[in-house]
Amino acid sequence: MKTVRARIEGRVQGVSFRYYTRHEALQLSLTGWVKNMSDGAVEAVFQGSDGDIEKMLSWLDIGSPHANVGKVVVKQLENDKTYPDFQIVL
């Protein structure tokens, strides 16, 4: 199982980005979380198979219908924590 953290920058708040990210993650059977950051970015942690995480990262390049993704920075985590589901963190 692989775990990555993604930081998504651009117009990604106020456009239902977290909702669509959760929906896509659940479709791919990924676990983790997504949240808005105070600087206008969105961060997310995804956990699952390599192939499904790659699909999720490809989706992040485009994002929700009204988003304008400028940059996605991904970091692989050496994480022993297991996430039971995928949540929107407030």
Side-chain angles (χ1 to χ4, degrees), residues 25-50:
L26 292 174
Q27 293 292 102
L28 294 169
S29 299
L30 297 175
T31 60
W33 52 263
V34 62
K35 69 178 178 177
N36 284 343
M37 304 304 290
S38 61
D39 64 359
V42 169
E43 280 195 7
V45 168
F46 302 105
Q47 191 170 68
S49 72
D50 286 348

Side-chain angles (χ1 to χ4, degrees), residues 1-68:
M1 184 173 307
K2 182 176 182 177
T3 305
V4 300
R5 179 183 304 261
R7 178 179 168 83
I8 306 97
E9 299 175 1
R11 192 181 77 206
V12 292
Q13 290 191 18
V15 292
S16 300
F17 195 88
R18 292 175 302 160
Y19 169 81
Y20 281 98
T21 299
R22 182 177 183 272
H23 176 77
E24 190 69 19
L26 292 174
Q27 293 292 102
L28 294 169
S29 299
L30 297 175
T31 60
W33 52 263
V34 62
K35 69 178 178 177
N36 284 343
M37 304 304 290
S38 61
D39 64 359
V42 169
E43 280 195 7
V45 168
F46 302 105
Q47 191 170 68
S49 72
D50 286 348
D52 289 336
I53 286 178
E54 289 305 316
K55 289 176 188 173
M56 187 73 220
L57 296 177
S58 292
W59 180 88
L60 288 176
D61 286 331
I62 298 175
S64 64
H66 298 291
N68 185 2

